[in-house]
Amino acid sequence: MNQPPSESDTPLSGSDLLRSMPQALLVLNDDLRVVQASESYCDMFQTKHDEIVGQMFFEMGCGQWDVPELCEKLKELLKDGLTFRNFRVEQEFPEIGRRVMHLQAVRVRRSGEADQLVIVAVEDRTEEIEARRELTADREWLRVTLQSIGDAVI
């Protein structure tokens, strides 16, 4: 008879699991210090896990996340549990240049513990947004060209 695996059969701890996730994820404590980071996050921002764990979220990477609106959203999340999605940050990031990032965050409480954690997912949408801009420019060029041809025929 098959028995469900016990926790001792699970080869990965929670932090190992998080670090191996394909999404760029950060776990923050209720002081907004980094507790964990996925390898994908470290790869995306060309940093090392040990360099960011323990840092204040808003001080990482020369203050790349020090955005007043984002600060307010995270404070609301901690206070009221209001998750947010698709919060856009467009700016110059150290090491990787100008990027458009979309953030999502959720508050979680660990069972049996009073403190709360915030999980922040970061998605780089730069290429998608640049492709849309190019498509819009191409459409406008085509519209003007076709209109000019139509005007020439008349």
Side-chain angles (χ1 to χ4, degrees), residues 57-71:
F57 177 68
F58 299 110
E59 295 173 0
M60 290 191 328
C62 302
Q64 66 195 21
W65 300 119
D66 191 13
V67 178
E69 257 185 270
L70 178 57
C71 180

Side-chain angles (χ1 to χ4, degrees), residues 1 29 47 62 67 69 82 111 115 126 142 150:
M1 176 155 87
N29 66 13
T47 188
C62 302
V67 178
E69 257 185 270
L82 301 175
S111 62
D115 64 335
T126 307
L142 184 58

